[in-house]
Amino acid sequence: MRLYEHEAKFLFRRFKIPTPEGILYRTPADLDMVAFPCVVKGQTFVGGRGKSGAVQFAENRHEAVIRIDELKKLVVAGYPVERVLLERKVDIKKEYYLGLVIDRIRHEPVLIASTEGGVDIEEIARHRPEAIVKCSLDPQAAIEPFFGRKIASLFGLSGEALTACGIVVNRMIELFFEYDCKLVEINPLALTVEDRIVALDAKIDLDDDALFRHPELKEWGIELRHEIGEFTEREKKARAGGVPYVDLDGDVGCFPGGAGFGIAAIDLIAHYGGRAANFMDSGGAPTQARLKLMLELLLENPKVTAIFGARFGGISRCDDWAKAVVQYVIENKPAKPMIMRMAGNMEEEGRKIIEDAIADNPALFKNIKIYRYDTPIEEVIQEAVRVAKERTGG
Ligand code: GDP
Ligand code: MN
């Protein structure tokens, strides 16, 4: 569960990690409590707010009112900015990067630090990998105070700033473990012109499965509602119909059998140079209504130029699948090519349903291919990728 910046900063303050004085804007009266000049920050989960205009500055109250109005009209990556954080503007001398994540390959928490803060860490990794330091952490061992100071000295800090930065590193690690985090990130961690250390930004991702260990979060208003607010319209529609579905940004619509194959299909599409438009799971033996919804989601998505489908008949039978597909095609006359494969339980019966439908209405099915078990899935995916590319025009 991702936290908004203002929520992450709330946790930072509980761990005594310094953040700028600030307030989550609710009513104009809140402006009485703001110190100017201030930073006006739209609360979104999408990073790079600086670039998308969701971080603004205001010299005075009048400007703040204008910036707040502008931000509340702003949509970042499809998500409207609903709340705005107002913070005293800090004069920055230098920006650093601090991140704590789980390394999924080495199965251990790792601290990532860089003197090149303020920009995306991915960007630093690409252009100046030597500017990034990574340290594995032992979750069983207590953190030594010198650990944080070692990082601070790698930053080239000295004196009080070194001590303060060292403390921030160690407290960030404490927070990471205490709250079962998947990510804690401070980017930028600022050294101010007064040589103070302040977390200007805050990102926290909590492990949903460990939320029950932290009932106090709910008391503080931090609960699972967030991600729901961030669903796209299609994701909401899918959810309402019982279909696990995630929008991605490619052009190959995925209509897979199950979740595991759904994920594998996304990888295979990428392997063959394409980009999947979505993740989707039929969820066990899907009803005709649910199969219809699954196809609808893909056909309505303007980014999808071709559909890749696979039905490995197991619990869910090929003939049920074929019936749903045929019925959908007859009723909706989809214009997008569908490149699919059907194999497994009740395959012959399914094939007969499809062949009969094609014989009755060849024109309607001319863009729809349903391969048999003897065509490897890799070939079906390659064809879907190629057709999508031709139609997307790239
Ligand atoms: P992000 O772009 O979503 O990561 O949002 P950030 O909170 O990191 O803000 C983007 C950038 O705005 C930072 O990297 C800073 O350069 C700048 N910024 C944010 N707060 C302040 C501030 O108090 N003072 C100054 N001078 N710049 C700030
Ligand atoms: Mn940032």
Side-chain angles (χ1 to χ4, degrees), residues 49 118 187-188 201:
R49 290 170 303 166
N187 185 26
D201 194 6

Side-chain angles (χ1 to χ4, degrees), residues 231 234-246 257 259 279-287 289-294 297:
F231 282 142
R234 252 191 310 282
E235 287 166 347
K236 284 183 210 160
K237 181 173 170 178
R239 186 150 284 235
V243 174
Y245 175 97
V246 179
F279 163 79
M280 175 146 75
D281 172 20
S282 60
T287 59
R290 206 185 294 173
L291 286 167
K292 181 166 182 269
L293 169 65
M294 290 167 70
L297 289 165

Side-chain angles (χ1 to χ4, degrees), residues 33-334:
M33 286 174 279
V34 176
F36 293 101
C38 80
V39 190
V40 186
K41 309 185 80 176
Q43 300 296 286
T44 68
F45 291 133
V46 192
R49 290 170 303 166
K51 278 180 238 156
S52 57
V55 175
Q56 296 285 341
F57 299 95
E59 287 300 320
N60 50 48
R61 189 185 175 115
H62 175 69
E63 271 184 32
V65 171
I66 297 173
R67 297 285 98 85
I68 293 168
D69 276 354
E70 286 169 355
L71 279 186
K72 291 210 164 180
K73 287 184 201 126
L74 191 69
V75 176
V76 181
Y79 303 118
V81 173
E82 279 166 4
R83 276 169 294 182
V84 173
L85 177 66
L86 302 172
E87 281 184 344
R88 177 198 284 272
K89 185 177 173 194
V90 167
D91 291 324
I92 304 173
K93 194 192 277 181
K94 170 103 186 99
E95 292 176 300
Y96 301 97
Y97 175 94
L98 281 178
L100 263 166
V101 287
I102 307 278
D103 183 325
R104 285 161 182 264
I105 292 169
R106 300 171 58 157
H107 301 281
E108 57 192 15
V110 47
L111 176 89
I112 302 166
S114 175
T115 48
E116 310 297 299
V119 276
D120 288 349
I121 190 72
E122 291 83 1
E123 196 109 312
I124 313 169
R126 259 194 301 276
H127 298 116
R128 288 207 54 211
E130 72 284 1
I132 296 179
V133 173
K134 286 188 187 176
C135 303
S136 304
L137 299 173
D138 178 355
Q140 309 298 337
I143 325 143
E144 302 288 349
F146 72 80
F147 180 79
R149 288 201 296 273
K150 196 177 76 186
I151 300 295
S153 69
L154 287 176
F155 283 171
L157 294 169
S158 59
E160 278 176 30
L162 180 137
T163 311
C165 177
I167 291 172
V168 167
V169 172
N170 280 19
R171 293 206 174 129
M172 186 181 168
I173 297 171
E174 275 167 37
L175 192 165
F176 183 85
F177 288 121
E178 199 166 316
Y179 274 90
D180 303 298
C181 298
K182 295 199 287 188
L183 166 88
V184 176
E185 189 187 69
I186 308 180
N187 185 26
L189 176 74
L191 174 67
T192 70
V193 295
E194 302 88 12
D195 282 333
R196 287 194 309 122
I197 291 287
V198 185
L200 286 197
D201 194 6
K203 232 180 237 164
I204 292 181
D205 193 353
L206 301 173
D207 184 344
D208 293 5
D209 295 330
L211 281 180
F212 73 95
R213 287 158 41 111
H214 311 287
E216 71 279 16
L217 288 173
K218 203 166 174 176
E219 280 162 38
W220 300 331
I222 301 175
E223 45 186 331
L224 256 175
R225 65 190 149 81
H226 303 297
E227 311 263 354
I228 291 166
E230 300 287 317
F231 282 142
T232 66
E233 287 309 312
R234 252 191 310 282
E235 287 166 347
K236 284 183 210 160
K237 181 173 170 178
R239 186 150 284 235
V243 174
Y245 175 97
V246 179
D247 261 322
L248 303 172
D249 49 14
D251 54 6
V252 183
C254 291
F255 177 50
F261 185 68
I263 294 167
I266 292 169
D267 278 352
L268 278 169
I269 288 168
H271 178 75
Y272 291 116
R275 281 165 70 81
N278 65 289
F279 163 79
M280 175 146 75
D281 172 20
S282 60
T287 59
Q288 304 266 317
R290 206 185 294 173
L291 286 167
K292 181 166 182 269
L293 169 65
M294 290 167 70
L295 284 170
E296 229 168 63
L297 289 165
L298 302 179
L299 288 156
E300 285 171 4
N301 182 349
K303 281 188 188 160
V304 171
T305 54
I307 292 169
F308 160 70
R311 164 50 59 198
F312 290 101
I315 300 169
S316 47
R317 303 157 39 143
C318 289
D319 54 342
D320 287 342
W321 185 83
K323 251 184 255 164
V325 170
V326 163
Q327 191 188 337
Y328 186 84
V329 171
I330 291 171
E331 285 171 7
N332 299 280
K333 308 183 174 43

